[in-house]
Amino acid sequence: MDRLNSLKKIMLYACVLLCALLMFRNAQAQSQKPNIIFILGDDIGLKTFSFNGGQSYNTPNLDSMVKRGMNFTGCHASPLCSPSRMLLLTGKYNFRNYFKWGVMDTNQKSIANVLKDAGYTTACFGKWQLDGGDVSLHKFGFDSYNVWMPFAGFEPARYKFPVLYTNGETIADSIIGNQYSEDIMTDSVINFMKRNKSVPFFIYYSMLLVHPPYQPTPDDSAYASWTSRSLSDTSFYKSDIEYMDKKIGEIVNKVKQLGIANNTVIIYTGDNGTPKDVFQQIDDSTEEGGKGLSVEKGLQVPLIIDWPKEIKAGSVNHDLISFVDFFPTLAHMANTSLPTDDGTLDGVDFYPRLKGNPGTPRQWLFYDYDPYPGADTSIRWAETKEYKLYDTSLYNSNRAFYNIKKDPNEVDSISHNSLTPDELSIKQELLRVINSYVKQGIPLLSKADLVSLTDSSVIAEDSIRTYGESTLKNNGMAWSENPNPVYPTSSHISYNTGLGLFQANIKGLKANSVYYIRAYAKNFAGVAYSNEIKFRTLLHAPVALTATSVNNSMFIANWHSVNAASKYKLYVSTRPNFVNIKPKTVDERFNNGVIPPNGWIFAGNIVVNNTAHNQGGPALQFNVGNPQVITKQLAGPATQLKFWIKGLNTDSIGHFLVEGFNGLKWLTIKSIQPISKDGLTKTFDSSSNTPLPPNIIQFRFTYYKGKGTGSVAFDNVYIKYNIITNSFVNGYDGLAVNDTSAIVTELKAGTTYYYRVKAISSNNTSGNSNTISATTCASADCNQNAIANDMMNNINVFPNPSSKDFTLVVSKTNSQVEIDVTDVNGKTVYQTKAFNHNNFVFGKNFAPGIYFVRVTQDGNAKSFKLVKQ
């Protein structure tokens, strides 16, 4: 028995130890989730570095990462940064979510959301450029952040004296001082790692380097005297690259010092090819950058993954890698599943390839490239390692086919008739890939809204954000008296609008009735709908009648009654449009140089010019890089725009685009090309050769210039505009009236007035009635007999004919009124006398037929015929 008890105790101890061991291993597995540091360089192509053939720069820290980890030669980004970042963070091709430059759809999940849900502490440092500030950064899963450009559209100082944003606020200049942005960001990364070294963390470090403007770093002697207004100089590109490498080295070294190197994966890549104004020595030739181009040098970017003890040191991978592939790969690293509630993901997990396992490498890449959605540059293509096929876009029907291995700059497309059997098979497969995504490219609509509403019509609008590069067949509005109207079975109106805003004017609706409306857009992938709006049409608008009892200081406003109306609102003005228009001006001479006036925005490469100006210096000088000035919003519509412009230097100057915003969208006013080198003032108004569009409340000026030294001097912006305010007679701004007439008093003699009314019910209103004018007498000696006759002439009965009641309105209320109604046989069917009353209702029980009315007031009489239906 003792031996049996001892055996039971041993087994119990063994079970306890086993459970403890399992718990320890589970805890250890949790703690072994790798830290992930994702570093995204800006404007760095594949062949920039020596490990990929470059010979222009010294990058010892990235070289060391290559020796410790895996170097990828087939990684492809988008040709420009904003679409690349959306590919990277969402794991989706751009046609699924990219609708505006620098704005990421907050309905999407980012890889940071996935890692945060998996237990990671997350942070974003560096360039954000995806709009939304604090709200979007947290929405996309980042616990902490310190970023540059938290909102789209305005680019503040980037490197020296940077404008940075953290915890929902811009960091004060007194705190930043004379610091360099990349130093601040690297310190932020290091401090975050110190605080979180005991838990799994994810850092998305989107470096500002080496995007233009090219400027000295703190390691350059020129840095001390450099200002944010100084010109960009490509000679600093080398020091910018090497300083970027230095900052990466500091992060790598701190990972080692913190003792977390073996459990930390560091990824480095670039967001697009090298800029076109940078020339680099690659192998035995000099190559110009390809940023913005769909050729390989615009797409191919470096990719290094450094993960000690997990990746074979010094390994090289030649697989095709797309930016959408990072999403599933990082999720696999974190040992977490992909979201199932976020729509289609397009990435291919290349995690097994890091371990040297077969995996499922990509055989092709697909692109849907529209750098500025709605522009005429949208294209799509698919490619293998050796061939590329372009597909039909809205603007180009050429299906060009290239051998990009032999012809990487795509100089000569391959004729379809000269294809080998293998090439024909590859071309057909790439076309199949393209068409499969075209069919998935369901349009994305923004949010439907009502612009105006009447008793019988509505104007609704929406915006098409993207449609996957599939040509729209039609779009418009569908509506019904039942919920969820469907195109084409419900009532609908169709247009053929591309990207952007569209409006639909729907007529023939019933007054005071409930309808449902939503926008739709149809393409090859199907029909998409916006949100649904439930609305009620307005009451029928009243019909205003001629004013009566007009004298030198008053008149009576009259109008027909409206069924369902419980009261009316009366508006009286001395202006026929019921508004005041006050002219105002803006006269901006840029006396403060490149410091934007209040409410204005300056973006891009703009400097001060004290020698080329108009009435007095300084002027603004626009250099290469699409610099832009946006005025403040005006308080009313512009009537005139003037500015001074002069082309500088001797090479090709480019063109200067003038645009206006009307509250809905930006409209092109004029593309100025060529730009006069003598300096001139351009004027736009209603009578100019290029008329100023109506309702413009803001202006935008952009200088588009590719290469060279050409620039533009810009000065003396002068704008005339109107401030529009309501104009009502005191006390008659929506005066509540329970009758169908009202006395308007305390008026000026010899003055013309205008009135209109609205009908109001308990849950609805009407639009404005027609407008009636009335002119008061010039003196107190108005002809009372004429007034009395006028009163009699303006006695009205409505409706006539009527199937219900008749309403009789008299103009003068301070005397006795007698009313006699007889039928065709002379029999009196209604009779009344009243004093100080002007509204009489009768006839509800009259039999159908003809009746005669006689009204007597102040010795004057009037007779007329009524018809009861």
Side-chain angles (χ1 to χ4, degrees), residues 674-690:
I675 303 170
S676 171
K677 297 183 181 180
D678 297 324
L680 54 83
T681 297
K682 301 289 292 184
T683 301
F684 302 92
D685 54 29
S686 60
S687 60
S688 59
N689 289 335
T690 302

Side-chain angles (χ1 to χ4, degrees), residues 688-746:
S688 59
N689 289 335
T690 302
L692 186 67
N695 302 318
I696 297 299
I697 58 172
Q698 192 173 22
F699 293 96
R700 183 166 68 186
F701 310 93
T702 310
Y703 174 49
Y704 289 98
K705 178 69 174 64
K707 306 177 196 175
T709 59
S711 56
V712 167
F714 180 64
D715 203 2
N716 285 86
V717 175
Y718 179 82
I719 303 169
K720 285 184 180 180
Y721 65 100
N722 290 325
I723 294 180
I724 300 175
T725 58
N726 289 329
S727 170
F728 299 109
V729 173
N730 187 35
Y732 298 95
D733 177 7
L735 174 70
V737 181
N738 294 320
D739 212 335
T740 55
S741 64
I743 300 175
V744 182
T745 61
E746 299 182 13

Side-chain angles (χ1 to χ4, degrees), residues 96-144:
R96 300 194 195 279
N97 56 18
Y98 179 42
F99 64 94
K100 187 176 181 181
W101 174 265
V103 179
M104 195 158 76
D105 188 349
T106 53
N107 292 321
Q108 307 291 322
K109 284 188 175 181
S110 84
I111 185 59
N113 294 121
V114 174
L115 296 179
K116 182 178 173 66
D117 290 344
Y120 278 72
T121 300
T122 60
C124 175
F125 301 113
K127 176 179 176 180
W128 179 237
Q129 199 200 18
L130 294 174
D131 203 40
D134 182 81
V135 173
S136 70
L137 281 153
H138 287 308
K139 174 74 174 178
F140 290 122
F142 293 106
D143 299 314
S144 306

Side-chain angles (χ1 to χ4, degrees), residues 17 23 109 136 141 156 175 181 195 213 317 369 384 413 481 493 503 597 653 667 674 724 736 755 808 845:
L17 287 172
M23 291 175 63
K109 284 188 175 181
S136 70
I175 297 175
S181 59
R195 294 193 306 270
N317 183 292
Y369 178 55
T384 65
S413 62
E481 293 185 74
I493 188 168
Q503 290 186 342
I653 291 175
L667 305 174
I724 300 175
Y755 66 85
L808 185 147
N845 297 320

